[in-house]
Amino acid sequence: MEQVELRYLKGIGPKNEKLFNKLGIYSVRDLLYFFPVRYEDRRAVTSIKDLKEEEPALIHARIMAKQVKRVGKNRFSRRGGIFQIIVADSSGKIECVWFNQSYLNDSVSVGDWLLVYGKVTRYKGKLQFTCPDFEKTEKDETADSSLNFGRIVGMYRLTEGISQKRMRRVMAENVKNYVHKIEDYLPFTIRKEKDFLNITQSITNIHLPCDFAAAERARARFIFEELFFSQITVYLRKAKRVMQSGVAFKMVSRLLDTLKQRLGFSLTSAQLKVIGEICEDMQKPYPMHRLLQGDVGSGKTVVALCALAICAANEYQASLMVPTEILAYQHYETCKRLLGPFGYTIELLVSKIPKAKRRRLLENLAGGKIDIVIGTHSLIEEDVQFKQLGLVVIDEQHKFGVSQRALLPKKGVNPDCLVMSATPIPRSLALSLYGDLDLSILDELPRGRKNPETLLIPEGKRNKVYEFIKGKLREGRQAYIVFPVIEESQDQDLLSLNQMYGELKKIFSEFQVAIFHGRMKKEEKQKVVEQFCQKKTHILVATTVIEVGVNIENATVMVVENPERFGLAQLHQLRGRIRRADYQPHFIMMRRQNLSEHALARLRVIAGTCDGFRIAEEDLKSRGPGDFFGHSQSGFPYLKIANPLNDIKILQEARRYAYQIIKKDPQLIESAHKPIRNYLKDWFLS
Ligand code: ADP
Ligand code: MG
């Protein structure tokens, strides 16, 4: 398709180009593929006398009276008052009001005919339209020519400066001008088998449907298309990988047995299974590419250690990257304790080590004198080089950006890769997002682990919560109190750490209370954690920095303030920090008044289950994958219309089609597969 710059498109222009960019629209193709998120049925005109409360409706009526009301010191008065009109048709009359939009007064006059669409609500006993959409018409003009009325209209995701009306106009114009020029990327045979319409009809129907069935049919095609290409890229990457040559490690069973004995506990059967999967991968002559998922506390570290040991025993270098220094330090200690006795050289690379020491460390690493290096982002800095990097392990991989994750393996020649994540993702989603990775799951916790008792406590019982914590502290346990923000904000509903710290110190005057958050210096943080470890402090008042890797066995109580501000997956991660074997842990979420039903329902999910996969599923259902991972995290061109969780059947089908195609034609050279090749090129996927 020809490349027309966005600014030259009808209705956009240089000034608005940036606004469209904000929505992720950079080309004509992006624009045509920017689909409505929902539709409104604005086909039938209703008589005013037939309007019903709480129902959206379209009327065609004439303005009888209008006024702008500036009411005293009302909060609306400063920003433009209330604009009211009375409209009437042959059956009756009704009032319409708009807040802060008194400028509307200049756009209409008494006697004008309007099409008005909106939800009818009751105010002081009478029905009215509140902030409805409207458009002027001639008396006997029907709505046929309008993009906004008299039809099913698309509702788009917007950004400030672009209204629904402008978006619809821009779409209508450009769909008309360009829809015939866009290539149909779905191979003809698939379209035929699936009974999809071609691209021209589908794009037209998704933006400007004549009925809901047409819109639905178009959506079905695009959902399939998106998932199909996601799976094509997945299989292509996989096909490429298998053709690369990697290290075929030799098995070192005796060494692993010794390691297992040294642990002091026996591995769960899930751990054994996963270690087996990794051993098999590592013996293969092409690079391992495996994602290990397991809830917080499921014991991923030991699994990683086994992989590191196999690599080191084969005289290759291994590296383990983690998102925080504290975690790096913990892993370093564990690694030295368990793998040190085999005689490997193990080093820690974080940003705070002195220059001279760092230089020596890098020399040794490049010279092959270090077997295992554990570190933070420091590992991906440019001057870090390996002699023979054989294995890369990335812990808490969701904390790294896609490009960051890609950097470490590049420091070797096709090393084996193991990425680990404590954010459980339902298998279907994992397949579509990380489908080029093989998947291992630790679906079992070490024996005897107690799930935290989870409570949702109303604000009014705050003192009881404090008393409860004191009781636990007197028994010798420790506690976390977690806040969503560090500093006070405009938001009255939000408790901040700084605001509460002083107060908590008073409330817990017989104990030591420490503060811990991301803006503290690294040394300070380290010190706070150390003192907490040594039980010199009893309560950590913290932000979510404790979410990753702070592993303190004696802390069994966690209180979360404003839990409604956290993602479900995040709450679950936090809760995982106190999952213990010996003492019953308690996870307390403070429930402020006036929580919305939706917020409450989400918190009840946490209270109702400790199963990370179920929580992830609930979270995804209500938020969609984009929000769940955030754009940069998904590692995958953002799915715009498909939701792999709801569209699981389509995903599986798309996967089958993609598999058949790549198996038969991995280079995509057949002419029937040319559209696929073009798609990958056009969307920068290859
Ligand atoms: P995560 O999967 O969250 O990274 P860790 O690897 O940090 O979990 O393990 C959490 C704790 O459980 C550690 O103290 C670890 O030593 C311990 N652990 C791991 N596996 C077992 C097991 N099979 N039995 C008992 N304890 C275990
Ligand atoms: Mg871990």
Side-chain angles (χ1 to χ4, degrees), residues 118-137:
K119 198 158 104 178
V120 181
T121 53
R122 192 174 291 279
Y123 180 70
K124 290 195 175 162
K126 284 206 291 199
L127 292 184
Q128 67 171 32
F129 281 104
T130 314
C131 304
D133 247 8
F134 72 96
E135 196 165 279
K136 273 202 279 192
T137 64

Side-chain angles (χ1 to χ4, degrees), residues 263-269 271 294-303 327 330-331 334 337-338 395-396 420-422 442 445-447 449 551 553 576-577 579-581:
L263 289 176
F265 49 74
S266 49
L267 293 170
T268 63
S269 48
Q271 283 169 320
D295 233 333
V296 181
S298 58
K300 294 184 290 295
T301 315
V302 193
V303 175
L327 192 55
Q330 279 179 4
H331 280 353
T334 313
R337 179 165 57 85
L338 294 168
D395 195 9
E396 309 281 355
M420 311 201 288
S421 172
L442 283 179
L445 291 177
R447 264 236 313 267
R449 272 304 141 83
N551 189 14
E553 316 225 321
R577 300 265 70 102
R579 191 141 51 177
R580 301 290 324 130

Side-chain angles (χ1 to χ4, degrees), residues 627-646:
D627 285 343
F628 188 73
F629 296 101
H631 274 225
S632 63
Q633 302 287 338
S634 69
F636 187 79
Y638 183 50
L639 295 173
K640 293 193 200 75
I641 183 167
N643 179 342
L645 209 63
N646 297 331

